[in-house]
Amino acid sequence: MLYLFDKYKLLFIIIFVFIASKSVYQSVVLSIHGSVDMQWYPATQYWGLGNFIHSINPYLASLSGDTFMAQDPNYAPMLYVLMYPFALMDFENAKIFFAIFSVICFFGTMFLFYKKINLAFLLLVSIFVLFGYTFGNVIANGQVAIILGFFLALGYMYRKNWLILTICLSILFTKYSFGIPILIGFFLAGYIKEVIFAGIINLVFVILFALQFDITIWESLILPLKVSSQATGVGPSDLMSLSRSLFDGSFFSFSNPFLWVITLIYCAYIWICLRIPPPPARIIASSILLSLGTFYHLGYDQYMFFIAILFAKFCLKSTYYSMCFLVILALFFWIGSRIQNFLPDGYHWAMNMGSIFCFVGSVMILISSFWLLFLDRNKKELMK
């Protein structure tokens, strides 16, 4: 494959540009007619339609039924501060600029990895993403996975600059379902100071939010989770979604076995990283997969397989069994949505594929996560 790529590099690049142009155009067009999940409405409430004096607590507004499309505020308060430029726009313009920003972040991610991994592999995996279900779904719905993936890559590439890494991790932490597991990964990879400061930055925004709306700090912390529990549907392939499918009670109830299963999984993950420390890039890749297999995620978040694969490629050859397994698993989630046409009504690839599918999917993702940690460790590392 490398020989063919080197011989016909220009042709491969032209093919990629054509596929990328078509996919980006279709996704942006869909975003103009959609963007149902974009956090524009909560941001405008927070900023009081440009007048901070008349700001509204978006979490309490959502819980009381004041919603717009599917834009329920289930992110940390810091996100709505960062979305100030979009809050100043009307919804039609905000949709366009948010989609364009997501596209820039996708190509920015490719640029960051450009000189770090093989170009042929980068273009091939990128084509898989563009062909798949999740890329267009993220942009069309106004979701943040592509943006978070970019800041994750940016932070790691400039990890020697503690300020850049701290800022990137603090942005990543605004989405708890990614932020918590991935920050644990960075902590175990040795970036302790940056993780602590990222957490402090988010805590400062939580405190300021509480002071602004005259609520307790605990309420400021828990409100996004309350909104998420009411607004977020059952995901296709994570243990928290499986818990929601099988148990009516709260996930955080001591009687819920999934609480203890996930706790044991994270304890095992931490123990392995401390006992047999893998290279930092493999820890980060594994933490992304750990997030996808345990925390609530709908189908658009499976875009992050792309980031996990690129991080794993830092240390592993394309032919390693763990890499092959990860790429095949990602392809299943990206392209497998076509089998939905043969399933009964009520199943949705991004939201609900049934308990059996959810169990098998989450187990496969977790296998790939742990496989990256402790297998291939005796092979020569390509990059630390």
Side-chain angles (χ1 to χ4, degrees):
M1 177 180 172
L2 291 179
Y3 170 77
L4 290 175
F5 180 81
D6 290 335
K7 186 175 181 180
Y8 302 104
K9 181 181 294 186
L10 180 60
L11 178 60
F12 278 98
I13 293 175
I14 292 173
I15 292 173
F16 170 77
V17 170
F18 173 77
I19 293 173
S21 300
K22 180 180 179 181
S23 180
V24 166
Y25 173 77
Q26 292 175 336
S27 301
V28 172
V29 169
L30 288 172
S31 74
I32 294 173
H33 299 287
S35 296
V36 296
D37 294 320
M38 182 184 168
Q39 294 294 300
W40 170 83
Y41 187 61
T44 59
Q45 289 176 315
Y46 176 79
W47 287 103
L49 298 176
N51 187 344
F52 194 68
I53 298 175
H54 301 295
S55 59
I56 300 170
N57 185 327
Y59 303 111
L60 293 180
S62 175
L63 291 171
S64 64
D66 182 7
T67 60
F68 175 71
M69 305 181 85
Q71 299 179 15
D72 299 287
N74 54 352
Y75 296 85
M78 181 179 172
L79 178 69
Y80 304 107
V81 177
L82 297 177
M83 286 193 67
Y84 176 69
F86 298 100
L88 293 180
M89 304 177 191
D90 61 49
F91 185 44
E92 297 305 316
N93 285 322
K95 288 190 290 185
I96 296 172
F97 281 97
F98 196 83
I100 292 173
F101 183 56
S102 296
V103 171
I104 292 172
C105 285
F106 174 73
F107 290 110
T109 301
M110 291 187 63
F111 178 78
L112 289 171
F113 283 97
Y114 169 63
K115 292 187 178 180
K116 301 297 183 180
I117 63 176
N118 182 272
L119 179 59
F121 183 86
L122 176 62
L123 290 180
L124 181 62
V125 177
S126 299
I127 288 173
F128 289 156
V129 176
L130 292 167
F131 261 130
Y133 169 77
T134 56
F135 177 83
N137 193 274
V138 170
I139 295 177
N141 283 313
Q143 268 292 333
V144 298
I146 293 175
I147 297 172
L148 295 181
F150 168 75
F151 281 105
L152 173 56
L154 179 67
Y156 187 82
M157 295 302 179
Y158 291 92
R159 60 194 179 277
K160 294 182 180 179
N161 185 318
W162 75 270
L163 180 60
I164 294 177
L165 178 55
T166 298
I167 292 173
C168 290
L169 291 180
S170 64
I171 293 173
L172 188 70
F173 195 66
T174 59
K175 185 177 174 73
Y176 297 137
S177 57
F178 277 132
I180 293 174
I182 294 175
L183 262 66
I184 290 175
F186 272 94
F187 189 91
L188 294 171
Y191 303 102
I192 300 172
K193 175 180 66 176
E194 292 84 351
V195 170
I196 292 174
F197 275 106
I200 291 174
I201 289 173
N202 269 270
L203 182 59
V204 168
F205 280 98
V206 168
I207 294 172
L208 292 175
F209 186 89
L211 293 174
Q212 179 185 346
F213 293 105
D214 194 24
I215 60 176
T216 67
I217 296 174
W218 174 250
E219 286 177 310
S220 186
L221 280 169
I222 208 72
L223 279 173
L225 300 179
K226 286 185 177 180
V227 173
S228 178
S229 66
Q230 293 188 15
T232 306
V234 175
S237 53
D238 64 80
L239 292 181
M240 283 190 178
S241 291
L242 184 60
S243 171
R244 183 177 291 183
S245 298
L246 299 178
F247 293 92
D248 295 330
S250 169
F251 171 78
F252 295 101
S253 170
F254 286 106
S255 61
N256 189 332
F258 282 92
L259 173 64
W260 301 106
V261 169
I262 291 177
T263 300
L264 288 174
I265 288 172
Y266 276 82
C267 288
Y269 175 83
I270 293 170
W271 182 84
I272 292 171
C273 289
L274 294 175
R275 182 73 175 177
I276 314 172
R282 279 214 332 249
I283 295 178
I284 306 308
S286 177
S287 70
I288 296 171
L289 298 169
L290 186 68
S291 168
L292 289 173
T294 55
F295 279 66
Y296 287 123
H297 290 289
L298 299 187
Y300 34 68
D301 284 344
Q302 289 161 355
Y303 165 85
M304 291 291 280
F305 272 110
F306 176 56
I307 309 299
I309 289 170
L310 296 183
F311 271 106
K313 188 66 175 67
F314 273 18
C315 301
L316 303 175
K317 292 181 179 180
S318 307
T319 53
Y320 286 4
Y321 291 132
S322 52
M323 274 295 295
C324 292
F325 182 83
L326 177 55
V327 172
I328 292 171
L329 186 62
L331 283 173
F332 172 74
F333 283 108
W334 291 341
I335 302 175
S337 59
R338 291 168 177 80
I339 70 174
Q340 185 174 314
N341 296 328
F342 304 98
L343 296 174
D345 292 338
Y347 289 94
H348 191 284
W349 192 255
M351 298 179 68
N352 178 21
M353 290 296 290
S355 298
I356 295 177
F357 184 98
C358 189
F359 173 76
V360 174
S362 58
V363 168
M364 291 297 102
I365 293 172
L366 291 172
I367 287 174
S368 67
S369 174
F370 280 85
W371 199 345
L372 288 179
L373 285 181
F374 57 82
L375 291 187
D376 304 313
R377 64 180 182 273
N378 293 322
K379 297 180 183 290
K380 183 180 179 180
E381 302 295 350
L382 301 179
M383 179 182 287
K384 298 269 184 173

